[in-house]
Amino acid sequence: MTADPRLADLTTPSLILDEQKMMRNIVRLADHAEALGVSLRPHLKTAKSVDVARRLLSEGVGPATVSTLAEAEAFFAAGVCDILYAVGIAPQKLPQVLSLRSAGCDLSIILDNAAQAEAVVKASQEASKPIPVLIEIDSDGHRGGLRPDDPLLINIGRILHEGGAALRGVMTHAGESYTVAGKEAHAKFAEIERAAAVDAASTLRGANLPCPVVSVGSTPTAHAARDLSGVTELRAGVYVFFDLVMAGIGVCHQEDIALSVMTTVIGHQDKRGWVMVDAGWMAMSRDKGTVDQALDQGYGVVCDETGKIFPDLILSAANQEHGIITRRSGSMTPMPDLPVGTRLRILPNHACATAAQHSHFNVIPADTASALMTWPRFGGW
Amino acid sequence: MTADPRLADLTTPSLILDEQKMMRNIVRLADHAEALGVSLRPHLKTAKSVDVARRLLSEGVGPATVSTLAEAEAFFAAGVCDILYAVGIAPQKLPQVLSLRSAGCDLSIILDNAAQAEAVVKASQEASKPIPVLIEIDSDGHRGGLRPDDPLLINIGRILHEGGAALRGVMTHAGESYTVAGKEAHAKFAEIERAAAVDAASTLRGANLPCPVVSVGSTPTAHAARDLSGVTELRAGVYVFFDLVMAGIGVCHQEDIALSVMTTVIGHQDKRGWVMVDAGWMAMSRDKGTVDQALDQGYGVVCDETGKIFPDLILSAANQEHGIITRRSGSMTPMPDLPVGTRLRILPNHACATAAQHSHFNVIPADTASALMTWPRFGGW
């Protein structure tokens, strides 16, 4: 394959997005959610891009999940109006939540403790506007949330429901599913998520509390789930682009990864077997998410300029603006000839972290006759 | 100490810069460079801020070091006119180098191989403008550069000098100095840097090649150097803010660290001893630079809202927008009471990486009567 001439003018390092691969990833999970009979609420924290959101969301309006109120503001301004802010609410952020809601955004929040619930009730009462809340359930000990059998669940449900907030349901995220590989293992975690969320919903309903929404998901469990009885919606985010962490646990193939970082060879240290490039951790992020997987990919897997993978070449070390490419330990393949000036592409360990280092996507359109597109990204809080 | 009311309106997470500490750090190295009789060429890759550059550089104009041409463009636009781009040049970037030089910026570049030298010669000839070059010397096997006794050194010097580029000198950076602790160890690396650069300069001069500039430096070696005979300039960057990596190897105290990330407590998992906060790796970066040091600081050391350090509390885990604070392993100090809504500050492992996650500094002015300042940062290439 020859290099895509549309990439010739890009400076390096640059973030490249393959629209065709992205669209395939989007359709894959949308089809699976439809087959399971649940609504899909994609997480926009990986993309942080209005252009991606337009291609990802039903009619561009949601439902969607975000990880910051800055995302909620930006996506609402672009027409997304059904948004779940899926990080436990800090009481100081409630005025901003109310302001978004007053502007017409159906923004819901999550929490897992009485102090938060009381702050939400107070804010709802003072504004005479019930803030919709999902109670976070801990399905796997990964992070926050209440165990489904925690007596606090009903207490918090009552604080919210009786205090004038809108108890909308429960949500959980099996972050531990990232630590296991293979569809069987992920399907087990999908069932762990489902069971925890459905149990918690039953507990609330048994106490005469409302629980219309039962929300679960992570990229591995969403793809592996076989039965989501009792669940109303599925969340996932990184699947839009995929990455080496997801490939390493078998959720996708490396060829499905839609993101890469274009870089240029700037030198060699032949005695050490090093090829020096101008993509360091500033371009790739410091994420070493594959370090504990069966195959450690360093800071990323190296491809040629067309995206063809060199299976044995990895970015094994990174300084701020320098990367060092080496052959994988134990490789029998010789180092290819990569003279100064050669352009390469690096697949990222973690799409969320790598994309966050860049102000925009350089998008290779599915249509080969179209020009490269620039899709801005945003960050911040 | 009571919380600074100027911080009350900041959302979390937010990047905080203590101007007083920063100015102390700046003066400390400026004084040391003066005592050593060398010029100081601060590296602006950590700050990426025009406001910081104005306080850091002699009369705001340089000399300065940068790690990207985007930095060169931004700082030149702000009046900095003596800039070293200290990443080996990619031939594709030479038109941009020439364009900055034509605009009046004395931009110099570095390289360590004949292919780069030939590209620079070609560009210099075509533009009839000699591009100034420092040859990168490898003093410690850390990254790029030629060993001072490599016969290629003279060859490359000749290609440049005879081909119409401007051979301006040599530069080296002892990146390995970060892996050792204590002033004695750093002083040894300072001498390794000095000896390598001075040897290389002698070799070039011995071959009747010009070598006016002999440039060395890294934050640890710059502070520990005792004698820089033969060196003309010193480079360092992270010292402006300092961080836990530098404190861990004894270059500064934790109290000297001028950067922190403000965060809010959003929950607890009491059985696991976890305090959940709204600063994850998006706010701190994925940098775990202290993991191989004597004291692993996780994703950062926790302070109260005023900046007072809890010596036994660290951000031990981080997801995208969630952080988990725990007591340090083996700690005998009980977990302090940190209710939901409590604001804390986290000291970063690596100032370059953490600052890069933020669009601006929230600056606490040295003058307590002044209002908080906002200093924009930039990124990109």
Side-chain angles (χ1 to χ4, degrees):
Chain A
M1 223 186 293
T2 54
D4 190 325
R6 294 175 293 182
L7 303 179
D9 290 337
L10 285 183
T11 189
T12 55
S14 277
L15 185 66
I16 310 284
L17 172 56
D18 183 320
E19 188 190 21
Q20 194 169 34
K21 291 186 180 185
M22 179 185 84
M23 291 313 302
R24 250 186 338 240
N25 298 337
I26 289 173
V27 169
R28 176 180 165 200
L29 190 59
D31 286 352
H32 187 53
E34 195 179 346
L36 288 165
V38 293
S39 161
L40 183 60
R41 182 182 284 280
H43 207 314
L44 302 177
K45 75 188 171 97
T46 315
K48 301 208 187 208
S49 150
V50 167
D51 298 284
V52 173
R54 288 206 179 108
R55 284 156 179 85
L56 175 59
L57 304 182
S58 318
E59 294 165 28
V61 299
T65 311
V66 299
S67 69
T68 64
L69 290 180
E71 289 167 57
E73 300 271 6
F75 289 118
F76 175 60
V80 184
C81 48
D82 173 4
I83 301 179
L84 172 66
Y85 168 46
V87 175
I89 191 72
Q92 293 91 332
K93 290 175 181 162
L94 288 166
Q96 194 181 352
V97 170
L98 279 165
S99 151
L100 271 158
R101 288 195 58 80
S102 293
C105 179
D106 182 10
L107 179 66
S108 50
I109 62 174
I110 73 167
L111 55 78
D112 71 355
N113 61 70
Q116 288 171 306
E118 280 153 10
V120 172
V121 159
K122 187 160 173 278
S124 296
Q125 285 174 352
E126 284 173 5
S128 302
K129 285 183 181 150
I131 299 172
V133 176
L134 303 188
I135 301 178
E136 186 176 6
I137 305 301
D138 172 16
S139 46
D140 65 352
H142 177 68
R143 196 161 66 192
L146 294 169
R147 293 292 308 169
D149 59 355
D150 191 324
L152 271 176
L153 177 59
I154 292 179
N155 292 355
I156 291 171
R158 288 210 174 110
I159 293 172
L160 293 167
H161 184 61
E162 292 164 11
L167 176 56
R168 191 172 275 180
V170 292
M171 64 82 76
T172 192
H173 165 69
E176 292 296 305
S177 67
Y178 284 57
T179 64
V180 297
K183 200 148 197 166
E184 277 308 311
H186 296 146
K188 278 185 196 157
F189 268 102
E191 176 54 22
I192 287 170
E193 274 185 342
R194 190 199 70 80
V198 169
D199 280 3
S202 302
T203 301
L204 289 173
R205 291 172 188 145
N208 283 319
L209 291 164
C211 187
V213 174
V214 181
S215 177
V216 302
S218 73
T219 285
T221 57
H223 289 78
R226 287 162 188 162
D227 168 31
L228 290 180
S229 305
V231 165
T232 65
E233 69 175 29
L234 193 58
R235 305 184 322 280
V238 80
Y239 75 97
V240 174
F241 305 123
F242 279 130
D243 54 27
L244 293 169
V245 166
M246 288 298 118
I249 57 172
V251 184
C252 67
H253 299 288
Q254 288 186 8
E255 288 72 11
D256 298 323
I257 300 174
L259 274 190
S260 60
V261 173
M262 173 95 85
T263 186
T264 304
V265 174
I266 57 172
H268 303 83
Q269 291 282 355
D270 290 330
K271 285 180 195 160
R272 303 180 196 130
W274 294 356
V275 177
M276 318 295 295
V277 294
D278 68 357
W281 59 253
M282 189 64 84
M284 298 306 302
S285 91
R286 270 288 193 196
D287 199 295
K288 299 201 69 177
T290 53
V291 70
D292 294 323
Q293 291 191 340
L295 199 56
D296 177 2
Q297 309 286 20
Y299 287 93
V301 168
V302 181
C303 309
D304 71 10
E305 191 176 353
T306 71
K308 184 166 168 268
I309 295 168
F310 293 110
D312 269 3
L313 288 197
I314 60 172
L315 192 70
S316 55
N319 295 134
Q320 185 157 341
E321 299 290 351
H322 296 82
I324 299 180
I325 290 174
T326 62
R327 293 155 66 225
R328 192 187 293 289
S329 159
S331 162
M332 305 298 287
T333 317
M335 175 66 85
D337 185 34
L338 301 171
V340 165
T342 304
R343 283 152 77 100
L344 300 167
R345 280 156 72 179
I346 319 281
L347 301 179
N349 280 322
H350 187 172
C352 306
T354 300
Q357 303 295 106
H358 296 263
S359 62
H360 60 280
F361 299 101
N362 299 286
V363 186
I364 306 176
D367 172 5
T368 51
S370 300
L372 208 65
M373 297 182 283
T374 301
W375 293 352
R377 300 186 78 262
F378 59 89
W381 291 274
Chain B
M1 223 190 289
T2 54
D4 190 324
R6 294 175 292 181
L7 303 179
D9 291 335
L10 285 183
T11 189
T12 54
S14 277
L15 185 65
I16 311 285
L17 172 56
D18 183 319
E19 188 190 18
Q20 194 168 37
K21 290 186 180 183
M22 179 185 84
M23 290 313 301
R24 247 182 346 236
N25 297 338
I26 288 174
V27 169
R28 178 181 163 200
L29 190 60
D31 286 352
H32 187 54
E34 196 180 345
L36 288 165
V38 293
S39 161
L40 183 61
R41 181 183 285 279
H43 207 314
L44 302 178
K45 77 187 171 96
T46 316
K48 300 208 186 208
S49 150
V50 167
D51 298 284
V52 173
R54 288 204 179 109
R55 284 157 180 84
L56 174 60
L57 303 182
S58 316
E59 295 165 28
V61 299
T65 312
V66 299
S67 69
T68 64
L69 290 181
E71 289 166 58
E73 300 272 4
F75 290 119
F76 175 59
V80 183
C81 48
D82 173 4
I83 300 179
L84 172 66
Y85 168 45
V87 175
I89 192 72
Q92 293 91 333
K93 290 176 180 160
L94 287 166
Q96 195 181 353
V97 169
L98 280 165
S99 149
L100 271 158
R101 289 196 57 81
S102 293
C105 178
D106 182 10
L107 178 66
S108 50
I109 61 175
I110 73 168
L111 56 77
D112 70 356
N113 59 70
Q116 288 171 305
E118 281 153 12
V120 172
V121 159
K122 186 161 173 275
S124 296
Q125 285 175 352
E126 282 173 6
S128 302
K129 285 181 182 155
I131 299 171
V133 176
L134 303 188
I135 301 177
E136 186 177 8
I137 305 300
D138 172 16
S139 45
D140 65 352
H142 177 67
R143 195 161 65 193
L146 294 169
R147 293 293 306 169
D149 58 356
D150 191 323
L152 271 176
L153 178 58
I154 293 179
N155 292 356
I156 291 172
R158 287 209 175 114
I159 294 172
L160 293 166
H161 184 60
E162 294 165 9
L167 176 56
R168 190 173 275 182
V170 292
M171 64 84 75
T172 191
H173 164 70
E176 291 297 302
S177 66
Y178 284 57
T179 64
V180 297
K183 198 148 197 166
E184 278 308 311
H186 296 145
K188 277 184 198 160
F189 268 101
E191 177 54 22
I192 287 170
E193 274 184 341
R194 190 198 69 80
V198 169
D199 280 3
S202 302
T203 301
L204 289 173
R205 290 171 188 146
N208 283 320
L209 290 165
C211 187
V213 173
V214 181
S215 177
V216 301
S218 74
T219 284
T221 56
H223 289 77
R226 287 163 187 160
D227 168 30
L228 289 180
S229 304
V231 165
T232 65
E233 70 176 28
L234 193 58
R235 303 181 326 277
V238 80
Y239 75 97
V240 173
F241 305 123
F242 279 130
D243 53 28
L244 292 168
V245 167
M246 288 298 119
I249 58 172
V251 184
C252 66
H253 300 286
Q254 287 186 8
E255 289 74 10
D256 298 324
I257 300 172
L259 273 191
S260 59
V261 172
M262 174 95 84
T263 186
T264 304
V265 174
I266 58 172
H268 303 83
Q269 292 283 358
D270 289 331
K271 285 179 194 160
R272 302 180 197 132
W274 293 357
V275 177
M276 318 294 294
V277 295
D278 67 356
W281 59 252
M282 189 63 85
M284 298 306 303
S285 90
R286 270 286 192 199
D287 200 293
K288 300 201 70 177
T290 54
V291 71
D292 293 322
Q293 292 191 340
L295 199 57
D296 177 2
Q297 309 287 19
Y299 286 93
V301 168
V302 181
C303 310
D304 71 11
E305 191 176 350
T306 72
K308 187 168 165 266
I309 295 167
F310 292 110
D312 269 4
L313 289 197
I314 60 171
L315 192 71
S316 55
N319 295 134
Q320 186 158 341
E321 299 290 350
H322 296 83
I324 300 180
I325 290 173
T326 62
R327 293 155 68 224
R328 192 187 293 290
S329 158
S331 163
M332 305 299 286
T333 318
M335 175 65 84
D337 185 33
L338 301 171
V340 165
T342 303
R343 283 153 77 100
L344 300 167
R345 280 157 71 181
I346 319 281
L347 301 179
N349 280 324
H350 188 172
C352 306
T354 300
Q357 303 296 106
H358 296 264
S359 61
H360 60 282
F361 299 103
N362 299 284
V363 186
I364 306 177
D367 172 5
T368 52
S370 300
L372 208 67
M373 298 181 284
T374 301
W375 292 354
R377 299 186 79 264
F378 59 89
W381 292 274

